């Protein structure tokens, strides 16, 4: 989740993962990494509980607002960026021209990709790798031009199929000819939920 917060030094409004109701102060990453916070300290009191003292210290030392590993470029709402370029609301990703992605690497021109890698021109991909031109893919690898598949490997042009290996032109796990598969696919209206 993202919230608006204010940089504790400049007052600039930032999109951050730090909830504004917490006592934690935030600061832009670039400024945070250039600062030495050793002057902020707390004397240890043996008679007081440890976590109470840790909470007090945490409220005094600012937190870096984005936690980027590699600064994103031309991106909005990127947190824990691994080098995002032209992304929108991504979390712990390395993506290009993508939006609403999290915990994913090497994502391009895609939307809603989660815990996945090497995904291009795809939508709604979860825990899958090396996916291209596909929609609604779960637990799959090395698939392209496929829709609504689960646990498939090395599959191409499959629709509503599951637990398949090295297949092409499947429709609900039924083997079709390329022509029949394309004819059926053209009758679908994927833009409609029904």
């Amino acid at each position: 989740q993202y919230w608006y917060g204010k940089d504790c030094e400049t007052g600039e409004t930032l999109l951050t993962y730090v909830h504004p109701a917490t006592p934690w102060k935030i600061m832009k990453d670039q400024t945070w990494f250039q600062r030495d916070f050793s002057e902020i300290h707390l004397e240890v009191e043996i008679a007081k509980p440890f976590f109470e003292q840790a909470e007090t210290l945490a409220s005094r030392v600012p937190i870096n607002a984005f936690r980027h590993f590699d600064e994103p470029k031309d991106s909005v709402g990127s947190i824990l960026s691994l080098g995002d370029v032209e992304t929108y609301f991504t979390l712990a990703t390395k993506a290009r021209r993508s939006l609403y992605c999290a915990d994913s690497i090497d994502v391009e021109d895609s939307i809603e990709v989660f815990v996945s890698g090497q995904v291009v021109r795809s939508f709604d991909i979860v825990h899958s790798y090396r996916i291209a031109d596909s929609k609604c893919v779960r637990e799959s690898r090395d698939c392209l031009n496929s829709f609504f598949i689960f646990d498939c490997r090395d599959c191409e042009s499959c629709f509503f199929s599951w637990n398949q290996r090295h297949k092409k032109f499947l429709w609900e796990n039924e083997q079709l000819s390329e022509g029949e598969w394309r004819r059926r696919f053209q009758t679908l209206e994927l833009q409609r939920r029904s």
Side-chain angles (χ1 to χ4, degrees):
Q1 294 200 13
Y2 296 81
W3 294 278
Y4 285 111
K6 291 196 181 289
D7 186 296
C8 66
E9 288 190 337
T10 66
E12 180 183 354
T13 300
L14 306 172
L15 274 173
T16 181
Y17 64 95
V18 180
H19 195 283
T22 65
W24 303 330
K25 301 171 190 170
I26 61 168
M27 184 182 286
K28 267 189 163 177
D29 283 20
Q30 300 90 327
T31 310
W32 190 87
F33 281 113
Q34 292 173 359
R35 291 282 305 275
D36 174 11
F37 295 102
S38 60
E39 76 275 1
I40 301 172
H41 64 279
L42 185 67
E43 294 298 325
V44 176
E45 294 182 46
I46 301 299
K48 280 182 132 181
F50 168 78
F51 289 109
E52 182 181 312
Q53 293 179 70
E55 186 177 5
T56 300
L57 182 60
S59 67
R60 293 181 185 176
V61 179
I63 295 173
N64 50 336
F66 314 120
R67 301 229 167 168
H68 296 315
F69 290 91
D70 193 358
E71 197 67 28
K73 294 171 181 58
D74 303 321
S75 297
V76 174
S78 181
I79 303 289
L80 290 162
S81 171
L82 300 169
D84 293 329
V85 177
E86 297 176 18
T87 61
Y88 183 78
F89 286 93
T90 57
L91 173 65
T93 60
K94 183 175 183 180
R96 297 177 77 74
R97 297 176 306 278
S98 297
L99 57 136
Y100 301 123
C101 300
D103 300 312
S104 298
I105 301 291
D106 299 329
V107 176
E108 286 192 27
D109 303 311
S110 297
I111 301 171
E112 294 183 13
V113 177
F114 304 100
V115 193
S116 298
Q118 298 171 312
V119 176
V120 295
R121 297 176 306 279
S122 295
F123 169 75
D124 191 16
I125 311 299
V126 178
H127 204 244
S128 298
Y129 300 87
R130 296 173 302 281
I131 305 296
D133 303 307
S134 298
K135 291 180 176 70
C136 300
V137 175
R138 304 287 186 274
E139 306 293 336
S140 297
R141 312 276 187 277
D142 304 303
C143 296
L144 67 113
N145 194 42
S146 294
F147 307 84
F148 305 98
I149 61 172
F150 175 82
D151 186 34
C152 291
R153 307 283 190 272
D154 186 31
C155 290
E156 180 180 346
S157 299
C158 293
F159 179 80
F160 203 74
S161 298
W162 57 95
N163 305 333
Q164 296 297 317
R165 304 294 186 263
H166 318 292
K167 300 290 176 108
K168 285 185 177 183
F169 308 113
L170 292 178
W171 195 276
E172 294 184 38
N173 282 357
E174 175 190 355
Q175 183 65 61
L176 301 178
S177 68
E178 180 179 354
E180 176 61 15
W181 191 92
R182 295 197 187 288
R183 187 193 66 71
R184 284 190 193 183
F185 191 76
Q186 287 176 348
T187 64
L188 289 175
E189 295 182 47
L190 287 178
Q191 70 275 16
R192 294 180 53 183
R193 183 176 288 275
S194 62

